[in-house]
Every structure is written in C-alpha cells, then in structure tokens.
Amino acid sequence: MPDQSALSTEHLSLLAKGKNLLAFSAGIDSSALFFLLLEHHIHFDIALVNYATRAQSDHEEMHAISLAKRYSLQAHTVKAPQWKSDFEANARIYRYDFFESLIAVHGYDTLITAHQLNDQIEWFLMRLCRGAGVSELAGIDPVSTRLIKPDRNYTLIRPLLHCTKKELLEYLQSHHYPYFIDESNQDTSYERNRFRKLFGDPLLAQYSQGITRSFEYLRHDKELCQEKFRSIFAKEELRVVGLDGDAYKSKAADLCLKELGYLLSARQREEIKLHDEAVIGGRWAVVYQDNRLYIAPYITSAMPKFFKELCRIYKLPSKIRPYCYLARIDPGQIMER
C-alpha cells in the first residue's frame, strides 16, 4: 500500500519548483494522488472535465470544487460536448486541450496525471496487439516535456506508474479519504476497459512486481535506442535530428511529433519507415536526407527568389522550406550545424 514514499524524490523536487496543475476526476487514482500531494506539502490546483455520461458526473464536479475550497486550491471545471462517436479519442483530445489552455492562461509549469501500473499494462497490451516496437511498448513516460506553442512548453509528470489501482484504493480506505467509483470503467464496449478486465487486471493480480521491473527495463532499452539519434536543431515547430542510418527514423519521428503534440498511428510510423518523404495527417512534413530527419508543419507558400536560392545552396529539403520561410528561419543556421 503506498504511503508518502510513493512519490519519488525526483518527482517531488520537480513539483516543488513550479506551479502545478493536477488532472482530477474524483476517482480512485486522482483522489489518491490528490492526498499524497497534500501530505508532501506540494502546492497545486485541480482541473476536471465533466463528460456528463453518468448520473454522478455532476456530483463528482461539485465534490472537486468543494474539495479544492476545503484545501484552499483553485478548481477548474468544464462540461464536455456530447460526441456521437469515437468517445475515447474525442475525450482525450478535449481533455488535453482543456488542460493546455489552463496552462497557457494561468502559467502552470507542470501537469500532473494519476496514471498507474494498470494503465501501463493496458497501454502495453493494446500496443502489442496492434504492432509496436520498444519505444511504444515501453509505455507511458514518468516525466516528459510537451509543447503548447512555439515559445511555450510544460512538464508532464506521472508519479504513480509503479502503483497498482488496488494499492491506491487501500491507501484511500485506510485514511478514510473520499473518492468516487466510475461505473463506466466496467463497460467493455470501450476497448481499454476490455483489455483491463480480460487481461490487465488478472496479470497484475499475480505478477505486479515482475511487470513493474519489466517496464523499468523497457524504459532503459528505450533510452539506449534514443542514443542512436541526437537533436541538431529545434526552433518554433521545426525539428532536425541526426541519425546513425535510417533504421531509427520512425522512432525519432514518433518522439519529436509526440513532443509537438501529435501521436503517430502504426500506419503512419510504417509510412515514415518505408519512405524518405512523407506528409503525415496532412499536417506534418517528415523528410529523411543525408542522415538527418527533418520535421516541420506541412504548408505550401510562395517564397521569394533569394530564399529559394538559399535553400538550394544549403540543400534544405523542399517540403521543409515553406515553413522555414514563414517562421523566419535561416537555412544556413540549420544546415551549418
């Protein structure tokens, strides 16, 4: 059962430095993290999305507001639209758009989420069944940086990845802390819930310690893979990465685009792997040239003759040029590195 030591010294050090926002749902995971943060005297505010999909959704929102008031925190809440289809995907996009708008407006440095070991194993199994490499199977990073706009980013911290939901529930019950049970988590029409109920929960019930160690090993292997590429240039939404051959271009693209707020599908990763030039989702140009991977927003724009000539001299990939022109990025500044 987790206690104050559930939060690592590294995470506490990061959280003590900045202004923090906790993604809160009033469920078991985020409620446990709420009280663990309080016990460590970490200052934070909370943000809750009311999806209005259950009778108790409004009660959870009022509970969040009341809880924040009791501990002198600020509570940000919003009611989500009612989507006709693709609820999980739409909810995730809406949720993070809401969090990032709060970060931009209120100056938060860190977003804290209550992802735990059950979430890790669900992610692993879903990716395993769709086809994935080490970087994807390694799962959810404990600490990562996200870009909101060219001059603004934030740190995403998930401090409970080593804890099971059962342990978090026991923690709440032993301290008589309030929480809600989300009945929709039992609805197996959602893919994630099917993986949880059929595979994730039974595995963790018997092998949680071994699974925790496996994720640690996978993250270490992921770090070793990332040593095969290095950042050469980053400005605005342009990324240039040096690679030791094209074997790692798909992984490098995946990580760079994730930082820029775009998640690649398995099909898009395969497209990047097979081709040296690709336009992803109609939004991102990805070009591999001379052991470098270039990523920039895909746009078409007229460019003056002098800029075209500079691009030709420095051999800047054609799909990257229009963005560099509009973003006032000097081709020589990129290519001379």
Side-chain angles (χ1 to χ4, degrees):
M1 182 173 66
D3 53 21
Q4 285 197 15
S5 64
L7 303 185
S8 72
T9 302
E10 176 193 359
H11 292 151
L12 290 171
S13 176
L14 289 170
L15 294 170
K17 292 177 182 177
K19 188 175 181 182
N20 307 305
L21 181 67
L22 171 65
F24 189 73
S25 69
I28 292 170
D29 307 337
S30 63
S31 294
L33 184 51
F34 180 98
F35 290 105
L36 283 166
L37 292 170
L38 287 179
E39 289 177 8
H40 281 284
H41 309 290
I42 297 295
H43 182 74
F44 61 97
D45 296 321
I46 64 174
L48 177 144
V49 178
N50 182 346
Y51 296 107
T53 55
R54 295 169 289 111
Q56 67 185 37
S57 295
D58 289 339
H59 295 296
E60 291 167 350
E61 181 177 354
M62 295 308 297
H63 167 72
I65 294 170
S66 174
L67 197 63
K69 185 176 181 181
R70 185 186 313 167
Y71 292 100
S72 301
L73 312 177
Q74 187 170 358
H76 307 280
T77 67
V78 68
K79 282 188 168 61
Q82 297 301 295
W83 298 287
K84 301 293 185 182
S85 60
D86 297 324
F87 176 83
E88 288 180 281
N90 284 317
R92 185 186 186 283
I93 293 169
Y94 185 85
R95 182 167 62 249
Y96 276 90
D97 283 348
F98 174 55
F99 296 154
E100 291 179 354
S101 70
L102 294 174
I103 289 167
V105 171
H106 298 280
Y108 292 107
D109 303 296
T110 304
L111 176 65
I112 317 166
T113 70
H115 292 94
Q116 30 75 9
L117 190 58
N118 296 66
D119 297 313
Q120 284 260 76
I121 191 67
E122 289 155 24
W123 172 277
F124 174 90
L125 292 170
M126 290 167 68
R127 290 294 176 271
L128 181 69
C129 292
R130 292 174 182 169
V134 171
S135 292
E136 293 77 42
L137 293 176
I140 309 167
D141 291 324
V143 180
S144 59
T145 300
R146 295 287 183 89
L147 190 72
I148 300 179
K149 52 186 180 179
D151 60 345
R152 182 77 170 90
N153 58 28
Y154 67 94
T155 302
L156 177 57
I157 298 181
R158 303 177 177 100
L160 297 181
L161 290 178
H162 59 291
C163 298
T164 65
K165 184 178 284 288
K166 181 175 181 289
E167 290 170 333
L168 297 174
L169 178 59
E170 290 172 351
Y171 163 76
L172 289 169
Q173 291 175 336
S174 68
H175 291 81
H176 306 290
Y177 290 141
Y179 61 91
F180 284 74
I181 297 291
D182 183 352
E183 301 94 343
S184 68
N185 286 334
Q186 304 305 314
D187 184 353
T188 54
S189 65
Y190 296 118
E191 182 184 39
R192 181 178 291 275
N193 291 349
R194 288 198 300 276
F195 273 88
R196 176 188 305 130
K197 187 172 183 178
L198 295 175
F199 310 112
D201 288 350
L203 282 170
L204 285 173
Q206 295 191 58
Y207 306 111
S208 63
Q209 291 185 351
I211 289 170
T212 300
R213 287 195 299 272
S214 292
F215 279 118
E216 291 172 357
Y217 299 150
L218 280 169
R219 277 195 285 269
H220 177 67
D221 290 345
K222 179 179 175 180
E223 291 171 1
L224 292 177
C225 287
Q226 291 174 9
E227 290 178 2
K228 300 295 183 179
F229 46 86
R230 59 206 173 276
S231 176
I232 291 176
F233 187 86
K235 186 174 182 180
E236 307 293 332
E237 293 181 288
L238 171 68
R239 298 291 182 272
V240 183
V241 178
L243 302 176
D244 296 331
D246 65 357
Y248 296 93
K249 62 181 180 179
S250 178
K251 294 186 185 302
D254 184 52
L255 291 170
C256 288
L257 285 168
K258 193 175 293 182
E259 179 195 339
L260 291 163
Y262 188 89
L263 296 177
L264 287 172
S265 67
R267 181 179 296 178
Q268 289 169 334
R269 286 195 294 271
E270 189 66 16
E271 183 180 359
I272 292 169
K273 182 180 178 181
L274 294 175
H275 303 286
D276 287 342
E277 290 193 6
V279 176
I280 300 300
R283 293 176 53 190
W284 296 97
V286 179
V287 181
Y288 176 71
Q289 177 181 292
D290 299 329
N291 287 335
R292 287 185 172 196
L293 187 74
Y294 300 81
I295 297 173
Y298 176 68
I299 55 177
T300 56
S301 173
M303 295 173 286
K305 187 176 180 179
F306 81 89
F307 190 82
K308 290 181 180 178
E309 182 63 16
L310 274 178
C311 292
R312 186 191 66 77
I313 292 170
Y314 286 106
K315 298 181 181 179
L316 185 68
S318 59
K319 282 186 168 58
I320 305 298
R321 295 175 185 180
Y323 176 76
C324 290
Y325 173 67
L326 292 180
R328 302 287 193 270
I329 300 174
D330 178 3
Q333 191 180 8
I334 304 167
M335 305 307 291
E336 289 177 352
R337 299 212 172 187

